[in-house]
Amino acid sequence: MRVIAPFQISSLRIARVALSGLLVGSIASVVNAHEGHDHSASQLTATTNAAEAATSSTFQVGDKTYRWEHREDLGKMSDKMIAAAKGGLHNNADQDQKTNEMVTVVSRYGLVALDPEMKEWKLVDDQDPKFASGMNSHGADCFLFNGESLWAFSSTNTGEVVISKRGEILASLTSPKGGEFDDEKINEYYRKGGKFAPCDVVFAPEAQSLIVVTGYAPGDYALTAKNVDGTWKWSGAAWGGKTNQGGPFSTAHGVEVTKIDGNEVVEVASRAHGRIYGFTASGEMIQMPGAFDEKFIQLPARSNPCNLSLHGNEMFLPLLNPLADSNGVAPVLIVSDGKPVGRLVPAEYEGLNYMHHMHGFCAVERDGKLFGIALSWPNGGENNNGKRNDGRIAIFEAVAAE
C-alpha cells in the first residue's frame, strides 16, 4: 500500500486522500490506513437523510454540509475551443499523475491540457494531428506505466482506444478480431464482425491491464488489453454482455479502478438501468459496499450515469438526464456506500444554464481543497428544436455551507 503524506495532491485512482478526512480536517488520521476507495479503512459515515441528500448542489459528509461554488476564474477556454465544445463535447477528462494537468480531447479541435493551477485550457504542443481530426475523449484515463505518464482515450467517434505520451500516439486499439480473450462467446462476437464502440477506459495497476467498456454496441462488454513485448494488444479477461442476453450490463458507459477491502476492483457504471457493478480484473462480480439483495448498487429512479469519478469514500456520477426533482436538467449525483448524499446541478448557476446533460466529472484536490471539473454534452436534437444546450466545461469548489 502506498502511503500518502497529508494534503499531498495525487490523481492515482487507488491511492487518493480520503475525502471524508479532508473535509473534516482529520486527513492525517486516515491517509495511512486508506488507499483510495478502500472500505476496510476507518472512515466517517456519510449522512444519508433523504431530505438533505435532495438539496440542490450540496452534499453531506458526516454531520457537515458542503455546497458547490462555481469558480468562474478557473478553466478559461479560447473562443475556438468554446465553439468546438458547443457542438461536440461528448467527453470526460482526467488528471496527469506527474504534472497534475487535466487533459481531454475536444473533437475537431484537439488534445488540450489544463495547467496544475487550473487557470486555462491550452492545446498540447507538438500533438499528433489525429487528435484534431475527429476523435473525442468519451472516456479518459491518465496512468503510470514503466515510470512514464501515459494518457488513454476511448473515442466513440472513431471507434478506437488511443494510448499516448502527451501528444505522441503510442498505440491505437481498434476492434478485436476474435481469439484474443479468455471468453469464447466474446471471441465469437468479434470474429463475426460485431460492433466495437469503446465508451471508457481505465488502467488497473495491479493487473497491469487496460480495461475498456463497450456499451454502445450489441456486445456490451468489458475487455482487457495488455502491453506485450512493448506493444499494446487485446489479451486476457473479458466479460459482461447485455441483460437481455443474460449479462449484467445495459450500456456499460463508465469504468474506474479502486480498492475494496484491500483488493483491486473494477467498477462499471451501467447507464440505462442506473447500476454500479464491481468486478475483479478477471471479471468475477463482487458485492459492492452498500448493496444488499443484489451485488450491484441500484441508483435512484431515472439515474443514467455516463461516468464515475472516485474520491475518498464518495462516488461522483454525472447523469445524462434529469432526475424527477432536478428541474429538467441533469445533475452530478454523489453517492457514498451505495446511497445518495448530495448532488451538483451545474445548470443552476448563472452563465451555465445550458449545461443540461452531464457527461463527465473529475474530482481533484488542490492545496487540501476539493474541486470538480464538470463536462456537459450538447444534444443536437434539442438544439435543432430550439431548446439550446451546449457542451461546456465548468469548475466547482466544495466549500463548507454556513
Side-chain angles (χ1 to χ4, degrees):
M1 178 177 293
R2 188 165 78 101
V3 176
I4 305 175
F7 301 101
Q8 177 183 351
I9 296 171
S10 173
S11 67
L12 182 58
R13 292 180 182 273
I14 64 167
R16 297 180 191 267
V17 177
L19 172 62
S20 301
L22 169 68
L23 293 177
V24 300
S26 60
I27 188 169
S29 67
V30 297
V31 291
N32 291 328
H34 181 308
E35 260 190 27
H37 205 54
D38 190 339
H39 290 263
S40 64
S42 174
Q43 294 217 15
L44 294 177
T45 301
T47 300
T48 57
N49 180 279
E52 292 172 337
T55 304
S56 293
S57 295
T58 65
F59 63 100
Q60 197 84 7
V61 176
D63 60 355
K64 294 183 178 293
T65 301
Y66 298 86
R67 61 179 175 81
W68 291 104
E69 178 181 303
H70 178 214
R71 291 292 304 271
E72 298 180 68
D73 57 316
L74 301 179
K76 180 182 177 182
M77 293 182 284
S78 69
D79 290 342
K80 288 185 177 180
M81 182 175 170
I82 291 172
K86 281 185 176 180
L89 195 67
H90 195 198
N91 278 38
N92 200 14
D94 200 26
Q95 182 175 233
D96 183 279
Q97 295 187 29
K98 288 190 172 181
T99 68
N100 289 326
E101 297 166 286
M102 300 299 303
V103 296
T104 191
V105 181
V106 179
S107 182
R108 304 296 176 187
Y109 182 71
L111 173 62
V112 293
L114 180 66
D115 58 278
E117 291 74 32
M118 300 192 295
K119 295 295 185 182
E120 184 176 2
W121 291 93
K122 292 183 179 180
L123 285 166
V124 172
D125 292 336
D126 301 321
Q127 63 180 270
D128 192 292
K130 184 183 188 70
F131 287 110
S133 67
M135 68 170 286
N136 67 340
S137 177
H138 191 273
D141 189 58
C142 299
F143 62 100
L144 298 178
F145 185 77
N146 290 341
E148 294 187 320
S149 180
L150 303 183
W151 304 344
F153 305 103
S154 58
S155 172
T156 53
N157 296 29
T158 56
E160 61 188 328
V161 176
V162 174
I163 304 162
S164 67
K165 183 180 178 181
R166 293 196 72 83
E168 177 190 1
I169 293 179
L170 304 180
S172 177
L173 294 168
T174 55
S175 180
K177 304 304 179 185
E180 298 96 333
F181 305 114
D182 298 339
D183 189 304
E184 187 54 32
K185 180 180 178 180
I186 296 176
N187 286 332
E188 183 66 13
Y189 171 82
Y190 288 111
R191 272 197 294 268
K192 291 182 176 179
K195 182 181 178 181
F196 171 70
C199 288
D200 200 8
V201 56
V202 71
F203 184 70
E206 291 187 3
Q208 287 288 284
S209 301
L210 283 171
I211 310 294
V212 178
V213 292
T214 63
Y216 284 178
D220 199 343
Y221 302 128
L223 309 177
T224 297
K226 292 181 176 290
N227 190 284
V228 181
D229 298 327
T231 302
W232 290 96
K233 298 179 179 180
W234 298 116
S235 178
W239 67 91
K242 289 195 181 294
T243 53
N244 61 9
Q245 299 173 358
F249 300 142
S250 184
T251 312
H253 202 278
V255 63
E256 257 284 14
V257 168
T258 187
K259 277 196 170 183
I260 297 176
D261 295 332
N263 299 312
E264 188 171 71
V265 173
V266 179
E267 294 186 345
V268 178
S270 186
R271 193 182 71 184
H273 52 192
R275 296 174 182 174
I276 308 297
Y277 291 92
F279 302 90
T280 67
S282 60
E284 180 183 354
M285 190 182 296
I286 63 115
Q287 181 88 14
M288 287 292 289
F292 294 102
D293 295 336
E294 305 286 353
K295 289 186 175 181
F296 56 81
I297 294 171
Q298 181 64 60
L299 301 174
R302 302 191 187 184
S303 296
N304 301 121
C306 284
N307 224 297
L308 68 160
S309 178
L310 307 176
H311 194 287
N313 199 38
E314 279 63 49
M315 181 182 292
F316 300 84
L317 303 165
L319 304 186
L320 179 64
N321 295 314
L323 296 176
D325 61 350
S326 63
N327 298 319
V329 292
V332 176
L333 184 66
I334 304 170
V335 171
S336 182
D337 286 328
K339 299 178 179 62
V341 295
R343 64 180 64 177
L344 164 65
V345 189
E348 292 181 336
Y349 293 80
E350 184 177 356
L352 303 180
N353 53 308
Y354 298 122
M355 294 182 73
H356 291 182
H357 303 280
M358 302 313 302
H359 195 273
F361 188 88
C362 191
V364 298
E365 284 179 45
R366 294 292 184 270
D367 298 325
K369 298 177 181 179
L370 176 69
F371 293 85
I373 293 88
L375 301 90
S376 65
W377 173 66
N379 186 313
E382 290 183 1
N383 286 333
N384 291 337
N385 290 321
K387 185 181 178 182
R388 178 183 164 192
N389 64 92
D390 297 336
R392 177 72 183 266
I393 305 175
I395 300 177
F396 299 86
E397 180 183 349
V399 298
E402 296 180 359

